[in-house]
Amino acid sequence: MNEKNFSEAQSSVISPILETISGEAARVFQNEPKADKKACVVALIGGFLGAGKSTMITALATEATRRNLTYGIITNDQGVGLIDTQTAEHANQSKSVEEITGGCFCCRLSDLEQALERLSESERPDVIFAEPVGSCTDLMATVILPLREKYDSEFHLSPLAILLDCKRLAKRQGGFHKEIGYIYQKQMEEAESLVLSKTDTLSPEELNTITAELRLKHPTKTLCHASAKSGDGVSDLLDYVLTSQANPAMLMEMDYDLYGSGEARMGWYNAQLTTAHDSFWDAQKLLVTITKLWQALISEGASIAHLKMSLADEDKGIIAVANAVCNDDTPQLSIQDSRASGKATILINLRAEAEPETLTRIVRAVMSSLTQEFIWLHEAAFKPGQPNPTKRVEVLREQ
Ligand SMILES: Nc1nc2c(ncn2[C@@H]2O[C@H](COP(=O)(O)OP(=O)(O)OP(=O)(O)O)[C@@H](O)[C@H]2O)c(=O)[nH]1
Ligand SMILES: [Mg+2]
């Protein structure tokens, strides 16, 4: 029943789903216990790098709290030192944040299972939001279905929701190699629900145009709109996540060689720096620095998928986060407060189509051009390895 075609206003997007839910799905929505445990929904919120997954999860978590529901969050990346984990803990003041590093969910399935079990055994939240790495696909066959098989009575797996940055789509931003495009296409293909994210960045006419295009290309999928910034569509999306269950009509074919080549075209760069002395870094200084870095990356021919920098203070916590999700839009602050840091810690997470060595050289050059003296606590640059799922469900069983 979750293969529907919705469009236009958010209310009309989601409400037909609610009208048709019954049985198990209705029980999940009402949060009634199945056996002796209360229901726990696991929702994968996927989408390409920079599509707005973390911001949407924070918005969904806030909406869940407003409804007196508890939640957990699981972040994921190939590397360590994640700004996503830092911001999830900061925004939600939540101890229920788990992090899976060193590989994507599909290649680290047992880590994901352990994280789910830990969350379940500690506070057993009503809903667990999990954010897969943005360059990852084939999540239905390698994550959702294996989890559903193993934890049938333990967790309710939501349909696979894939966020699409509507501005990126409308303005045809990106310009990545076609092997990276393959990953993006496969993410859309396997989605049960396509969520046009950041809808506040487009006019209603532009949004209608890309919604119509998407509906034409994906006539059987659920389409919805949401903006984590304005809040539009967030409540409806939470309803959808809580009330519907993963139920793919078919399994997607995957060319793992092509998928691996696409991933290998990306460079990953993570660093953690601290200022040698009290520094009085603030949000504006972070923005100026990320803008220099963004310009340097573009001038060296890198295609940016997501460049993030955070500024934190030992005592005050996060002061600012700044992001750039493409070469066409200047970096913006996504979190900022008016305080300045004492001794500052800066995290850099950069994913771009470029060689890891090039990314390292550019970041090093930009940071050393600043007057500030830094101590480098951690630095890693690499290409994601060939995806090698722990388990892949090849045959769809009747539910
Ligand atoms: N205008 C607007 N910007 C948004 C919205 N949601 C996210 N963003 C911005 O988009 C950028 C990327 O957001 P994230 O939530 O970090 O994206 P992500 O998909 O988690 O990125 P990765 O984890 O790197 O794949 C940030 O600058 C956000 O502030 C939205 O609803 N509206
Ligand atoms: Mg994220």
Side-chain angles (χ1 to χ4, degrees):
M1 67 126 271
N2 52 16
E3 292 237 327
K4 289 183 183 292
N5 184 18
F6 300 112
S7 58
E8 281 96 31
Q10 282 87 22
S11 55
S12 67
V13 171
I14 300 291
S15 53
I17 300 173
L18 298 183
E19 280 161 19
T20 55
I21 56 167
S22 61
E24 178 70 354
R27 193 189 58 68
V28 177
F29 180 52
Q30 288 152 15
N31 209 25
E32 290 170 11
K34 183 170 192 171
D36 51 349
K37 280 184 175 174
K38 74 170 179 176
C40 178
V41 172
V42 175
L44 257 70
I45 307 294
F48 195 65
L49 296 156
K53 301 177 291 296
S54 304
T55 315
M56 185 60 75
I57 287 174
T58 299
L60 290 168
T62 305
E63 174 61 17
T65 306
R66 201 187 60 75
R67 299 182 190 185
N68 290 325
L69 297 174
T70 53
Y71 65 88
I73 294 177
I74 306 179
T75 61
N76 177 219
D77 198 70
Q78 319 274 9
V80 297
L82 306 187
I83 294 174
D84 280 2
T85 309
Q86 195 186 33
T87 49
E89 288 170 346
H90 164 82
N92 305 302
Q93 300 293 309
S94 169
K95 294 194 175 34
S96 301
V97 177
E98 292 272 347
E99 178 185 72
I100 292 174
T101 56
C104 47
F105 286 153
C106 60
C107 300
R108 299 234 157 214
L109 191 61
S110 57
D111 290 355
L112 176 60
E113 290 171 358
Q114 284 164 23
L116 288 169
E117 286 167 18
R118 270 195 302 276
L119 287 171
S120 169
E121 279 158 22
S122 53
E123 64 167 279
R124 192 165 175 80
D126 296 297
V127 52
I128 298 171
F129 301 106
E131 177 183 343
V133 183
S135 62
C136 208
T137 184
D138 206 23
L139 294 162
M140 182 56 80
T142 63
V143 181
I144 294 183
L145 294 179
L147 289 178
R148 191 175 76 175
E149 279 184 4
K150 181 165 179 181
Y151 296 106
D152 181 39
S153 59
E154 187 81 5
F155 299 117
H156 302 277
L157 275 302
S158 291
L160 178 58
I162 295 290
L163 265 54
L164 300 171
D165 181 333
C166 67
K167 188 169 176 194
R168 176 163 241 159
L169 217 55
K171 314 273 185 220
R172 317 272 183 239
Q173 289 172 339
F176 297 108
H177 189 277
K178 62 178 187 315
E179 290 173 347
I180 299 173
Y182 176 74
I183 298 174
Y184 190 76
Q185 291 304 326
K186 285 287 163 182
Q187 290 180 337
M188 287 209 250
E189 187 183 329
E190 71 165 335
E192 292 182 278
S193 160
L194 289 172
V195 183
L196 281 168
S197 62
K198 311 187 191 179
T199 50
D200 58 288
T201 60
L202 291 188
S203 67
E205 295 73 31
E206 289 172 313
L207 202 53
N208 281 343
T209 306
I210 55 165
T211 304
E213 281 176 16
L214 267 187
R215 199 183 308 123
L216 214 58
K217 281 191 198 148
H218 302 280
T220 60
K221 292 189 195 299
T222 300
L223 297 186
C224 41
H225 300 165
S227 163
K229 284 274 159 76
S230 73
D232 282 348
V234 172
S235 175
D236 291 337
L237 183 59
L238 184 63
D239 285 341
Y240 175 68
V241 156
L242 294 177
T243 58
S244 311
Q245 298 202 58
N247 188 17
M250 57 192 293
L251 285 174
M252 179 174 80
E253 284 182 12
M254 272 300 295
D255 179 339
Y256 265 76
D257 290 339
L258 195 49
Y259 177 15
S261 307
E263 285 224 280
R265 290 202 170 268
M266 303 295 295
W268 238 244
Y269 177 92
N270 288 346
Q272 182 177 10
L273 301 76
T274 183
T275 51
H277 313 285
D278 276 3
S279 56
F280 306 106
W281 267 64
D282 61 9
Q284 283 314 312
K285 202 160 170 181
L286 188 74
L287 187 59
V288 169
T289 307
I290 196 174
T291 305
K292 279 188 185 163
L293 186 48
W294 173 78
Q295 283 164 339
L297 288 161
I298 294 170
S299 69
E300 295 249 10
S303 291
I304 297 165
H306 200 173
L307 163 62
K308 306 177 230 187
M309 289 182 78
S310 72
L311 167 67
D313 174 279
E314 262 174 14
D315 302 320
K316 299 170 194 157
I318 289 197
I319 289 175
V321 176
N323 316 59
V325 291
C326 61
N327 290 17
D328 303 320
D329 285 335
T330 52
Q332 307 280 331
L333 288 162
S334 54
I335 296 179
Q336 60 175 313
D337 70 28
S338 53
R339 298 171 302 172
S341 69
K343 208 162 160 6
T345 298
I346 292 164
L347 287 183
I348 305 173
N349 291 171
L350 165 59
R351 288 87 181 91
E353 185 182 347
E355 291 301 315
E357 299 72 29
T358 309
L359 301 180
T360 306
R361 180 174 50 74
I362 297 170
V363 175
R364 283 273 175 172
V366 169
M367 296 311 283
S368 59
S369 73
L370 308 175
T371 48
Q372 189 73 53
E373 199 186 325
F374 293 104
I375 301 163
W376 293 72
L377 301 176
H378 164 77
E379 188 181 40
F382 57 90
K383 288 172 182 295
Q386 172 68 26
N388 185 17
T390 313
K391 187 169 182 196
R392 184 169 198 273
V393 170
E394 304 282 352
V395 180
L396 206 51
R397 280 192 305 168
E398 286 271 320
Q399 271 294 295

